[in-house]
Amino acid sequence: MREIVITHNEKGQRIDKFLMKYMGLAPKSFIYKMLRKKNIKLNDKRAEGGEILNSGDNIKLYLAEETIEKFVENKSIAKSGRDFDIVYEDENILICGKPAGLIVHPDREHKTNTLNDQLLYYLSEKGEYNPDESMGFVPSICNRLDLNTGGIVTMGKNLGAVQELNRGFRDRIIDKYYLTIVKGVVEMPGVAEGYHVKSADNVAALSSHNNGGCYVCTHYKPVKTNGRYTLLEVKLDTGKSHQIRVCMQSINHPIIGDRKYGDKDVNKYFYDRFKLDNQFLHSYRIIFNFNEGCLKYLNGKEFIYNFSNKFLKIFNEIFTENVE
């Protein structure tokens, strides 16, 4: 028999979901069979599977230890570097600043030292996360940025915070703002919207017709122009991969440095002059609008993460030029 005491980080989830994480290698059918046979008890009572766990709850697994070990994944924290900045942190959430070039989650080309790896290692070094003690929950990143887009990324340190952050992004009660420099002069605020479709080679396009794609909406307003390029503040109403980049291309104001959706001649100019080899796009501001829930204390709070030194140099130089 094994006894598990639910921690603050793990509370708020159904017992069946917790068990599927705790014994991550076990088939779902095994978990539900053990519940039906009363081999799993919650606070010394029969568990049906849908009960919501509270901090301090006691789960008893009346199973052979070798059976439990067979189904428990060995979760370890990889030692990682630290390329991110801390924007804000409390007992529930962590807001960090990601540099361009650091991937959020692993993919086929980037398998280690991801932002997720770095944040988990950071929390483990602080003593706030131990996979051996919190096997039913892993702190989770709740918004993503492209590999070559820098800026604000949020992580929930406990399940309640993760659920609230995910709700905030899904229900658009968290406002996300970006700064970008685009080709050409944008004189008035506007909206770029349409249906977002991605091809097999990971290139997206925006269509005015609903051809099976997802509707996307991007608000933009000019902040500064030098007669050739414009600094825009962009606010997302939706969140699809490459959304801002595709939307700016669709209104004939592609982002400088964007190798996938940008203007080749403009990109060459900025590479030759500044060695800019990725899109000038930065997630710089986030505002929370929680009127309820465990993150209500953050309601109305705004957090800002400034440009990298490289972006600041580009901004300062091109917007202080004399343009005839």
Side-chain angles (χ1 to χ4, degrees), residues 142 161-176 237 286-290 295:
C142 298
V162 169
Q163 291 172 336
E164 278 299 279
L165 287 171
N166 286 336
R167 180 177 75 88
F169 288 117
R170 181 188 68 243
D171 295 346
R172 305 176 191 173
I173 57 177
I174 298 177
D175 295 328
K176 299 177 291 181
D237 266 3
I286 191 168
I287 301 174
F288 293 116
N289 301 292
F290 290 106
L295 299 183

Side-chain angles (χ1 to χ4, degrees), residues 228-239:
R228 289 196 295 261
Y229 308 103
T230 304
L231 176 71
L232 297 179
E233 181 185 71
V234 177
K235 179 179 180 291
L236 293 179
D237 266 3
T238 55

Side-chain angles (χ1 to χ4, degrees), residues 111-126:
K111 298 186 182 300
T112 60
N113 200 39
T114 64
L115 177 63
N116 191 65
D117 291 337
Q118 293 188 17
L119 288 172
L120 290 178
Y121 182 69
Y122 167 76
L123 293 178
S124 70
E125 288 293 286
K126 290 183 65 184

Side-chain angles (χ1 to χ4, degrees), residues 10-103:
E10 298 163 328
K11 70 177 183 179
Q13 59 186 312
R14 288 166 48 126
I15 186 174
D16 55 353
K17 303 301 182 184
F18 169 84
L19 292 167
M20 290 172 195
K21 296 172 188 173
Y22 189 90
M23 294 186 286
L25 300 178
K28 289 183 181 180
S29 57
F30 174 81
I31 300 293
Y32 288 116
K33 181 179 180 181
M34 293 303 100
L35 287 166
R36 287 196 306 272
K37 295 183 68 174
K38 305 179 185 178
N39 288 345
I40 299 173
K41 292 193 175 181
L42 174 62
N43 298 327
D44 293 320
K45 297 179 180 178
R46 178 178 180 175
E48 300 288 343
E51 296 87 348
I52 301 299
L53 296 173
N54 295 306
S55 182
D57 277 350
N58 181 285
I59 298 174
K60 289 179 180 176
L61 307 178
Y62 291 93
L63 304 169
E65 191 64 25
E66 56 266 28
T67 299
I68 298 172
E69 287 299 321
K70 180 176 69 172
F71 291 135
V72 170
E73 294 181 88
N74 180 22
K75 297 178 181 178
S76 59
I77 301 293
K79 185 173 182 179
S80 301
R82 178 173 164 180
D83 299 313
F84 62 89
D85 295 317
I86 300 294
V87 177
Y88 172 82
E89 183 177 8
D90 63 24
E91 69 276 11
N92 293 315
I93 71 168
L94 189 157
I95 302 174
C96 73
K98 179 188 90 71
L102 176 63
I103 198 162

Side-chain angles (χ1 to χ4, degrees), residues 1 10 79 87 97 138 232 250 276 283:
M1 190 270 286
E10 298 163 328
K79 185 173 182 179
V87 177
V138 180
L232 297 179
S250 74
L276 179 66
S283 174

Side-chain angles (χ1 to χ4, degrees), residues 139-155:
S140 298
I141 289 173
C142 298
N143 69 299
R144 299 184 65 170
L145 295 176
D146 291 341
L147 169 66
N148 288 319
T149 298
I152 290 174
V153 175
T154 63
M155 170 175 267

